[in-house]
Amino acid sequence: MRHTLTDTFINHDRIQSLLEGSHTQPEPSRVEDLLDKALDLKGLTPEETAALTRVESPELVARIYETARSIKDTIYGRRLVLFAPLYISNICHNECLYCGFRASNRDLGRRALNEAEITREVEALIRQGHKRVLVVAGEGHDAHDGLDYARRAVRAVYAAGERADAIRRVNVNLAPMSVDDFRLLASEGIGTYQLFQETYHQPTYARVHVRGPKADYLWRLEAMDRAMEAGIKDVGIGPLLGLADWRFEVLGTLEHARHLEERFGVGPHTISVPRLEPAPGSAMASSPPSPVSDEEFKRIIAILRIAVPYTGIILSTRESSEMRRAAFSLGVSQISAGSRTDPGGYTEDEPGGEREACQFALGDHRSLDEVIRDCARLGYIPSFCTACYRLGRVGADFMDLAKPGEIKHHCDPNGLATFLEYLLDYGSPETVAVGTKCIEENMARLPEQAAARARKMLDRVASGERDVFC
Ligand code: SAM
Ligand code: SF4
């Protein structure tokens, strides 16, 4: 029976028993042992992770945060990769009760951007300084037309702009497809294929996905297997926090990551941590069935950072600027900025305004320049780097490089060079002042070899070269 709960790598009984067996607080000495072990950067087992989700004492939660910060710093340094979502269509046949795009929301203005409109949107993003885009769409076409439309959209994004002033990596967040269709999508040169399971808890999944192709839990759960079978090396997973018990979602995410690692030798490239936000016409979005508090949200990020140390964690503009700041230090390595969640939003919206055709409400309305200035002020290096993808360091090759901490010798110089590019080409005078100081401070922290490499790259950018990477 394909649709029984126990048939998949998400074993509900096992997860439930790990969580139930854990109603009591773990002993402080056990938590300390786990956190010491985590510093070896080998991740944690589901049992160990379940124990961390139970910790409530403020002292031990503080120790979890400290460990997450240390792991984040060792593997990712102070870089924060920036990207913009590009909503190309809000037409959708599905009925996800939490989403503004769901089919029964008759008040929503619907559209699928054509190629000329996509090009205009991308040009607007390029003018802001973006280099990485995440293409997002509702599931509004049948499988064949949907794939065809998505492929044309990816091509239009790559084709917009001029050589160095162009989008250098296109990731996608699109409905799941067959292996053959994933192969065709891969042939367009996409970066990461991203898809959120929303909830790993199947009964909850059935309750909130009431109609349409997305109602099939297994078709979605197995999407990453099909994507990787089709040769897509980087995949991004994530739960939509607020639908089911967050502890179940953390363990589900971990089991998903472990399953991919076991089967393909490499786990997910990224984990996203979207939290349910109010959405037009959705009562559930304003009143989540299992709300996640700010404090719990920080714990989720920290525990994921500790349990899956080499997987990037993505935070979107769903969160407020205050929460984003806290999350950076606990483990987040990629953020979106200056986002719009309505098709056409970058060229047609009033500055600072919110449109009715958006998918959900944004928590952070600042421009890319403001977000960059804030990150730089906090000492982070805003990075637009796409070097790994373009040099073929993806999937297992990326993880092999990442694991011994080697990646830092590439990522820090690449991050600094792309940041300088941004400052010279797009930065406001205020951001240039803050950013220049941030670059020098970070240069002083680099080991000798990486600093020498970074200095050479910064000099090349300063003298007018663009798209410099190693
Ligand atoms: N339609 C495709 C799908 O559902 O997989 C891809 C695009 S969908 C717009 C991207 C993601 O938006 C969903 O996977 C869901 O996690 C998220 N989302 C939907 N409604 C949301 C809400 N109210 N708050 C936050 N995120 C939401
Ligand atoms: Fe459609 Fe995706 Fe929104 Fe569900 S989450 S209604 S599939 S756009």
Side-chain angles (χ1 to χ4, degrees), residues 297-308:
F297 189 59
K298 285 192 249 171
R299 269 155 68 191
I300 293 168
I301 293 171
I303 292 171
L304 285 172
R305 179 68 303 138
I306 293 171
V308 209

Side-chain angles (χ1 to χ4, degrees), residues 35 62 69 94 150 225 254 267 278 300 352 417 420:
L35 295 178
R69 278 191 203 103
N94 287 314
D225 291 78
L254 179 61
I300 293 168
L420 183 61

Side-chain angles (χ1 to χ4, degrees), residues 63-92:
R63 285 283 296 121
I64 292 178
Y65 289 172
E66 211 177 290
T67 307
R69 278 191 203 103
S70 158
I71 292 174
K72 156 98 200 273
D73 206 45
T74 308
I75 298 179
Y76 296 89
R78 302 195 62 82
R79 293 176 316 280
L80 275 177
V81 171
L82 288 148
F83 71 95
L86 175 65
Y87 280 69
I88 55 170
S89 165
N90 62 4
I91 301 171
C92 195

Side-chain angles (χ1 to χ4, degrees), residues 87 89 91-92 94 96 98-101 135-140 173-176 193-198 209 214 220 238-241 243 274-280 282 284-286 316 318 359-361:
Y87 280 69
S89 165
I91 301 171
C92 195
N94 287 314
C96 310
Y98 47 80
C99 179
F101 291 176
V135 167
V136 185
E139 193 168 359
N173 186 321
L174 300 168
Y193 172 69
Q194 189 185 78
L195 184 77
F196 306 151
Q197 183 59 27
E198 320 297 13
H209 299 106
K214 192 164 162 182
R220 197 165 181 94
L240 176 57
L241 297 166
L243 297 175
R275 193 158 54 150
L276 211 52
E277 291 293 338
S282 164
M284 179 176 284
S286 303
S316 75
R318 291 169 180 87
Q359 189 202 6
F360 52 79

Side-chain angles (χ1 to χ4, degrees), residues 352-366:
E354 193 82 63
R355 292 219 321 182
E356 278 172 9
C358 70
Q359 189 202 6
F360 52 79
L362 297 173
D364 183 344
H365 296 267
R366 297 172 303 166

